[in-house]
Amino acid sequence: SSGINAEYGAKSFKLILRALNTSVDIIKTGDFMSRFCSNLELDHRAQLVATTVARQAVDLDVVTGRVPVTVAAAAIYLTCLAMDIEKTPKEIGDVAGVAEVTIRQTLKSMLPSRDKLFPPDFVPKVNLESLTNAR
């Protein structure tokens, strides 16, 4: 223990933020999406779909307890599977800094809701029902 109680620390933090005239914004999955998709050489359409998948997964409480970077990586992986783009969890994980197994586990929690995650106008290149045993 540092000898500083949590309440005092939180008040000090807020005073520092006010003095610096700044704020700490909530990090969202979309903050990572552009960079990850660019580094994975995915096109803009894939990025838009993955962003929607991530946002929907969060809004529907499908990925409760997962950090935004993990949700973004899993959304990219699910999008790649649905669009038949050859990207492995390892490739995505290397770019996102997320373990391959974590991407697979997060994907597993997203799959039961897959029909609600994609944009309404999205037409998958593979049968979404076939994604129960993702590669």
Side-chain angles (χ1 to χ4, degrees):
S1 170
S2 65
I4 299 173
N5 73 35
E7 185 179 347
Y8 177 78
K11 283 182 180 176
S12 299
F13 184 69
K14 287 176 187 169
L15 284 171
I16 292 168
L17 289 178
R18 197 174 307 133
L20 295 173
N21 196 23
T22 189
S23 67
V24 178
D25 293 322
I26 296 171
I27 297 171
K28 297 183 182 77
T29 56
D31 298 341
F32 306 103
M33 208 56 83
S34 177
R35 180 166 39 101
F36 292 169
C37 289
S38 174
N39 289 346
L40 288 162
E41 299 177 349
L42 298 176
D43 66 20
H44 188 65
R45 175 72 178 146
Q47 179 185 330
L48 292 175
V49 171
T51 301
T52 300
V53 168
R55 189 179 308 116
Q56 285 294 102
V58 170
D59 290 350
L60 296 171
D61 287 329
V62 172
V63 287
T64 307
R66 297 287 185 182
V67 296
V69 70
T70 298
V71 176
I76 291 169
Y77 184 45
L78 179 55
T79 299
C80 287
L81 291 171
M83 295 179 76
D84 204 23
I85 299 169
E86 295 284 326
K87 295 290 177 191
T88 65
K90 179 170 180 7
E91 289 174 277
I92 296 166
D94 287 348
V95 165
V98 177
E100 187 177 343
V101 67
T102 305
I103 293 173
R104 288 185 190 278
Q105 287 170 342
T106 307
L107 172 73
K108 206 176 214 178
S109 68
M110 294 168 110
L111 284 176
S113 302
R114 62 185 165 264
D115 294 334
K116 299 177 196 142
L117 300 179
F118 291 95
D121 64 336
F122 178 72
V123 179
K125 292 193 175 172
V126 299
N127 179 353
L128 292 180
E129 298 304 313
S130 71
L131 297 182
T132 50
N133 297 316
R135 56 177 178 238

